[in-house]
Amino acid sequence: MRETDLPMGTLRSDAWFARDDEVGLEHRASLRAAGAPIVPGGGRPVIALISSISELNPCNLPLRPLVEAAREGVIAAGGVPVEIPVMSLGEDLIKPTAMLYRNLLAMEVEENLRAQPIDGVVLFGNCDKTIPAELMAAASADLPAIQVAGGYRSPGQFRGTEIGAGTDLWSAWNDRRAGRLDDAGWHDLEVALSCSRGACNVMGTAMSMAILAEALGLMLPGGATLPAGDPRLHHHAYRSGRRIVRLVHEQIVPSRILTEPAFQNALLVLAAVGGSTNATVHLAAIAGRRAIRLDLDDLDRAARRTPVIADIAPIGQQHIAAFDAAGGLPAVQAVLSGLLTPDLLTVAATDDLPGPAGPAKGAIRPLTDPVTDRPAFTVLHGNLAPEGAVLKTAAADPALFRHTGPAIVFDSYTDMLDRIDDPDLGATRDSVLVLRGCGPRGGDGFPEWGMIPIPRHLAAAGVTDMLRISDARMSGTSFGTCVLHVAPDAASGGPLGLVRTGDLITIDVDRRILRAHLDDEEIDRRQARLRPPPSRHRRGWPLLYDEHVMQAPAGADFDFLVPRDSAAQTWEEPVIGRS
């Protein structure tokens, strides 16, 4: 046995390989046939390289060379790398939403780790739902784990201006609807947005979740904000491969890293970078896998304490490359050092830690000079959202922070698309657009439909924002005064399902209030007549999702995946015998 090997019986994979019977021989022969020979004495950790690469997901295509780099690192450290492909959740092409399958990917990753001879795992993801799903699985599996992100795409050029993904597309679509962008410009935009592979290069969900993986301590420092194809990212993946072997030796597992202080730090970071509202749902789901409850009030407190210091779209003006040039997450953590709980355990070794950060610069501001005087997020409560709703305050119009207007109600996404541009809709700039039936249950996976478009005649008249309320989510690259994740959702019997067109609705951001002008008696009368629609699904994954998904504040995870007590946080290991 080499000095770097572990004594026989130490590794989880030894239950498969370190036995002198026909079962052990069969297991070793199988892995030898796959090109990863195991000696009978064991001692070399088997490291899963779990990747979600697909040619239908350009966001994740940069992962291929990173998997190979990590493989080299695992071998150099004395481990045995085995690649395991999993489903790829491409945000652009999967319908109705990749969120419908986030929990499925989390289950697939967890069960791959449970059922197979794995001692540690390097998780490769990039697109919006991939990293959250992998982190949820890592939290449940509790094997040594490191996350690697695939980097962001290069910006395109559109009519002499550098553009990113998402945010610039939504702005251009508004111009198109208002008649300010012609057919030729629309085609040129398509070419510009097809410039390269990788994640969105603004502070959307993909970048937010990569940054949070690093903030939580499950990614080596500095890895979240490297561009796709950058040699530094290749080296980062190699170091992650080497480091995971040491984590197995030291038995540093996610349950030791994903503590309540780590999640509170992550909320402060999320507020400071002005990240995606979707990240609030994903963080709650990851925390729930460790039986840690992240309340929406925790998010609100973090946003009150932490100004937005990242000058990155959609709140700021720049792209992620500027954030990386300013020092990335380590620089943000240095600015927030007086707020963060220090010295928490992470996957990093001493020589992985960055040197002392200099003063805030460029796209990362000091606390005394924030990007905006508004907090990143505000959590609202009231008779429309008894369990809370989320507003990305820093990307909204302050003129609407105290507003009362009549509701225009859409009962589904198709209903909204059919009527939003109808001249007889009756919408004015004071109207409150309400879209329901798009939450965790009603929307077939909790889709990103919450940024309701401005009615065409108002957009043409120069209206750029309106108060919009929905039980749906919206893209992390989106913007506007959009109240999201209203809980409980309408399909679960939530009060958003009681609102009728013409009802007055009030928002008061400073007072954290969202309410309809309905007295308790009227609410009770409407509630008594309310019949939430039955599920449209009769079989398969959508039916399972509909029956078991929890509400947005609980992360839209499945009720049967969340541990009910400390004993339920541990695996039942498989019986290792003949298959």
Side-chain angles (χ1 to χ4, degrees):
M1 186 173 70
R2 299 173 306 171
E3 185 178 346
T4 56
D5 291 343
L6 293 169
M8 186 172 64
T10 302
L11 296 170
R12 180 175 181 269
S13 61
D14 286 344
W16 278 261
F17 301 123
R19 49 193 292 174
D20 188 21
D21 59 12
E22 84 284 10
V23 175
L25 186 146
E26 178 187 32
H27 293 159
R28 294 191 298 273
S30 178
L31 207 58
R32 182 184 296 274
I38 294 285
V39 297
R44 298 179 64 199
V46 178
I47 304 299
L49 308 177
I50 288 187
S51 63
S52 54
I53 300 167
S54 165
E55 292 186 357
L56 286 174
N57 187 355
C59 185
N60 279 13
L61 282 175
L63 294 172
R64 168 54 60 200
L66 303 183
V67 173
E68 296 310 312
R71 185 192 306 276
E72 296 169 6
V74 170
I75 293 171
V80 178
V82 291
E83 183 177 351
I84 303 175
V86 293
M87 71 183 300
S88 189
L89 302 184
E91 196 67 25
D92 297 326
L93 297 177
I94 288 183
K95 304 300 177 189
T97 169
M99 185 66 172
L100 176 62
Y101 302 102
R102 184 203 63 178
N103 296 348
L104 180 58
L105 176 57
M107 293 170 68
E108 182 183 10
V109 173
E110 179 182 350
E111 296 307 321
N112 263 295
L113 297 176
R114 181 204 304 268
Q116 304 194 80
I118 304 301
D119 299 304
V121 57
V122 184
L123 301 157
F124 296 87
N126 215 33
C127 209
D128 291 13
K129 308 306 178 292
T130 310
I131 288 179
E134 291 174 343
L135 293 178
M136 291 162 67
S140 293
D142 209 28
L143 297 179
I146 289 182
Q147 182 76 54
V148 173
Y152 50 90
R153 66 192 70 171
S154 302
Q157 294 290 326
F158 177 63
R159 297 184 170 179
T161 302
E162 190 176 84
I163 64 168
T167 302
D168 292 312
L169 173 59
W170 316 141
S171 295
W173 176 232
N174 289 340
D175 288 342
R176 175 83 162 160
R177 285 170 48 77
R180 295 187 293 267
L181 185 62
D182 59 15
D183 290 346
W186 194 240
H187 174 267
D188 291 347
L189 178 70
E190 179 178 335
V191 174
L193 287 176
S194 307
C195 55
S196 66
R197 299 168 176 176
C200 293
N201 48 24
V202 294
M203 194 62 73
T205 306
M207 288 311 308
S208 297
M209 291 311 304
I211 288 169
L212 290 177
E214 186 178 331
L216 286 168
L218 286 178
M219 180 185 290
L220 292 182
T225 58
L226 300 175
D230 192 299
R232 294 174 296 163
L233 191 53
H234 186 281
H235 183 58
H236 172 82
Y238 174 83
R239 290 192 299 117
S240 297
R242 288 190 64 101
R243 181 61 184 153
I244 191 63
V245 176
R246 179 49 54 189
L247 293 179
V248 172
H249 282 250
E250 298 172 359
Q251 274 305 289
I252 296 177
V253 293
S255 60
R256 296 177 60 190
I257 296 171
L258 297 177
T259 61
E260 186 165 354
F263 283 103
Q264 295 299 332
N265 280 357
L267 286 175
L268 293 169
V269 166
L270 178 63
V273 301
S276 168
T277 50
N278 292 320
T280 68
V281 177
H282 299 317
L283 271 179
I286 298 162
R289 295 299 185 94
R290 297 308 316 162
I292 295 171
R293 182 181 174 124
L294 277 190
D295 289 328
L296 284 178
D297 289 341
D298 293 325
L299 171 68
D300 195 77
R301 281 191 293 270
R304 290 189 195 217
R305 295 177 63 196
T306 313
V308 178
I309 60 173
D311 183 16
I312 305 299
I315 292 174
Q317 300 299 315
Q318 304 185 67
H319 294 149
I320 288 293
F323 183 81
D324 180 58
L329 177 62
V332 169
Q333 290 170 319
V335 174
L336 300 181
S337 60
L339 299 174
L340 300 174
T341 300
D343 303 324
L344 298 180
L345 181 66
T346 74
V347 296
T350 302
D351 56 359
D352 294 315
L353 299 175
K361 61 182 180 180
I364 297 175
R365 307 273 194 89
L367 292 174
T368 54
D369 182 29
V371 177
T372 171
D373 59 1
R374 289 169 272 153
F377 311 103
T378 300
V379 174
L380 304 168
H381 292 276
N383 63 6
L384 284 184
E387 296 177 12
V390 176
L391 172 68
K392 193 169 187 177
T393 326
D397 184 352
L400 293 168
F401 287 179
R402 291 188 66 185
H403 180 78
T404 298
I408 294 179
V409 178
F410 303 101
D411 285 316
S412 68
Y413 186 63
T414 53
D415 179 34
M416 183 272 291
L417 292 180
D418 287 344
R419 295 196 291 127
I420 192 67
D421 292 331
D422 186 339
D424 296 327
L425 182 66
T428 71
R429 66 176 64 236
D430 292 326
S431 298
V432 179
L433 305 180
V434 176
L435 173 62
R436 63 191 177 201
C438 307
R441 284 199 64 245
D444 292 350
F446 202 5
E448 294 181 342
W449 295 341
M451 194 176 79
I452 307 166
I454 306 298
R456 191 183 302 272
H457 74 281
L458 294 176
V463 175
T464 57
D465 200 4
M466 298 173 67
L467 177 58
R468 289 160 277 180
I469 301 172
S470 180
D471 48 12
R473 299 177 300 113
M474 76 176 184
S475 168
T477 63
S478 298
F479 46 86
T481 310
C482 303
V483 178
L484 308 163
H485 313 172
V486 172
D489 68 339
S492 300
L496 196 66
L498 306 178
V499 179
R500 298 173 182 171
T501 293
D503 289 342
L504 291 178
I505 292 177
T506 288
I507 186 173
D508 188 326
V509 172
D510 289 341
R511 297 172 62 200
R512 271 61 181 171
I513 289 174
L514 178 70
R515 67 181 182 91
H517 289 229
L518 300 172
D519 59 33
D520 292 343
E521 290 77 10
E522 178 62 18
I523 289 175
D524 289 343
R525 280 193 293 271
R526 294 187 187 185
Q527 191 77 57
R529 293 193 294 268
L530 183 66
R531 296 291 182 269
S535 174
R536 296 182 292 104
H537 307 296
R538 297 292 177 265
R539 60 171 300 280
W541 179 255
L543 178 61
L544 183 69
Y545 187 101
D546 212 30
E547 290 179 342
H548 292 283
V549 69
M550 300 190 296
Q551 291 295 303
D557 202 356
F558 286 167
D559 51 15
F560 62 83
L561 294 176
V562 176
R564 292 171 174 80
D565 52 50
S566 57
Q569 293 183 52
T570 58
W571 262 351
E572 294 180 5
E573 287 284 5
V575 175
I576 311 301
R578 292 182 182 177
S579 298

